[in-house]
């Protein structure tokens, strides 16, 4: 690797670390043409000190940008070292790193060179060359450029496993405040296009066996939280909208890292809202896998997630009339809502109780987190008269969070 390529890699990999949406889950691309790579093995990840997941080849095509988004380190007014890969340089890096077993895939995003189409065309060309010239079957995640043409979006979906369009800010008012050159509709439009195209592709597959893959890992988005004063209520309702309306596979939440002396943003040195970010992911998980409705987690009267306890425990404490649950008779949907009992544990309980009446010892063997669950299930050891606040304090005394308490919960911007 030349010194110049190494320098570009350092600059553009560092610029990409703020993008958290790099998971490779959901793709089933197979290596059936004697090519390179296989998404079945997943891609390699690294984790930064603040918990963010970083791919071993997670880069920007360029950090030049025509926009001046206040929350972005690559904004045009920021005095930083700039660099840009050529299409062939990204292709060569991907192949060479893969052959050395450094990576299993590519996560490629970019600043905007001249205009959205000019930039998107180059992103697509990287994926196309990898797939067609090198028969690369590893995972490819492309960040699409809002404002690019539908034709380029379509072509990107033919070569990438996952496409994503960053919505960036939770509300259009915040977007207007911090990124006045952008508009929300330009971000929604490609999501709508990709969603319709994916549905159409699935229908065609039912008729034509050789229908090409089309973004098999679906689409995702990401929003910055903590830079502006939106509540968790607003953030989660927007996520709910994306899941229902555009069938997104994931919504990622990126706690704002103060990088700018801008009076519209939290000052440099303000803690990154890691606890809040973690709670949002937990709430998101409840919506996607535990069948929680968004208004069960937050509502207008309770717009912020409890940072002391996870959203599932918080919900249970607000609904004590549903507990304690008899695990030998309760419905599966209610058992999996018991704090400390996950989806697989709930399934194990329902299977095991067919053969014997379960007690606390059985639950321990199943792997239940009893420090939480014991307060919400019927057992000889549970205390039925405890109030929610007392239960919360007992659980907090017995548990220990990996997050330090000095992180702010809701940043004050103005």
């Amino acid at each position: 690797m030349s010194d110049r390529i190494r320098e570009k890699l350092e600059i553009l990999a560092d610029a990409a670390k703020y993008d958290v949406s790099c998971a490779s889950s959901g793709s089933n691309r197979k290596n059936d043409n004697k090519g390179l790579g296989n998404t079945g093995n997943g891609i390699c990840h690294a984790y930064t000190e603040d918990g963010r997941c970083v791919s071993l080849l997670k880069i920007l095509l360029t950090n030049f940008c025509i926009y001046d988004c206040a929350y972005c380190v690559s904004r045009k007014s920021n005095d930083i070292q700039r660099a840009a890969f050529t299409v062939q340089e990204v292709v060569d890096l991907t192949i060479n790193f893969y052959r050395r077993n450094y990576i299993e895939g590519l996560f490629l995003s970019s600043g905007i060179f001249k205009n959205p189409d000019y930039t998107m065309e180059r992103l697509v060309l990287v994926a196309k060359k990898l797939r067609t010239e090198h028969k690369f079957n590893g995972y490819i995640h492309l960040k699409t450029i809002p404002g690019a043409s539908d034709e380029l979006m379509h072509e990107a979906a033919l070569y990438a496993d996952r496409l994503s369009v960053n919505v960036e800010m939770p509300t259009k008012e915040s977007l207007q405040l911090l990124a006045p050159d952008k508009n929300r509709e330009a971000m929604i439009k490609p999501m709508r296009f990709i969603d319709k195209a994916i549905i159409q592709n699935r229908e065609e597959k039912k008729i034509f066996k050789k229908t090409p893959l089309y973004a098999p890992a679906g689409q995702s988005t990401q929003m910055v939280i903590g830079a502006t004063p939106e509540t968790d209520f607003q953030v989660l309702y927007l996520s709910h909208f994306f899941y229902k309306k555009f069938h997104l596979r994931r919504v990622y939440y990126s706690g704002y890292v103060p990088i700018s002396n801008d009076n519209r943003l939290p000052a440099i040195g303000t803690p990154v809202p890691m606890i809040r970010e973690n709670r949002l992911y937990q709430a998101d998980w409840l919506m996607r896998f535990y069948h929680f409705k968004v208004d069960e987690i937050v509502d207008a009267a309770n717009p912020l997630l409890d940072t002391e306890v996870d959203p599932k425990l918080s919900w249970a404490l607000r609904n004590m009339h549903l507990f304690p649950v008899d695990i030998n008779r309760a419905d599966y949907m209610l058992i999996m809502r018991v704090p400390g009992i996950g989806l697989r544990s709930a399934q194990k309980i329902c299977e095991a109780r067919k053969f014997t009446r379960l007690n606390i010892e059985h639950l321990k063997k199943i792997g239940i987190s009893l420090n939480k669950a014991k307060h919400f299930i019927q057992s000889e050891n549970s205390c039925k008269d405890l109030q929610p606040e007392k239960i919360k304090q007992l659980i907090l005394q017995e548990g220990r969070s990996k997050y330090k308490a000095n992180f702010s919960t809701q940043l004050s911007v103005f």
Side-chain angles (χ1 to χ4, degrees), residues 363-377:
L363 296 183
K364 287 180 181 178
K365 292 179 180 178
I366 288 175
I368 303 300
S369 176
L370 281 174
N371 71 315
K372 293 181 181 177
K374 66 184 180 184
H375 301 289
F376 302 94
I377 59 176

Side-chain angles (χ1 to χ4, degrees), residues 202-217:
R202 287 175 184 161
E203 293 302 316
E204 290 175 353
K205 271 189 173 180
K206 296 176 183 175
I207 303 172
F208 306 106
K209 185 178 180 181
K210 294 189 176 181
T211 300
L213 289 174
Y214 194 91

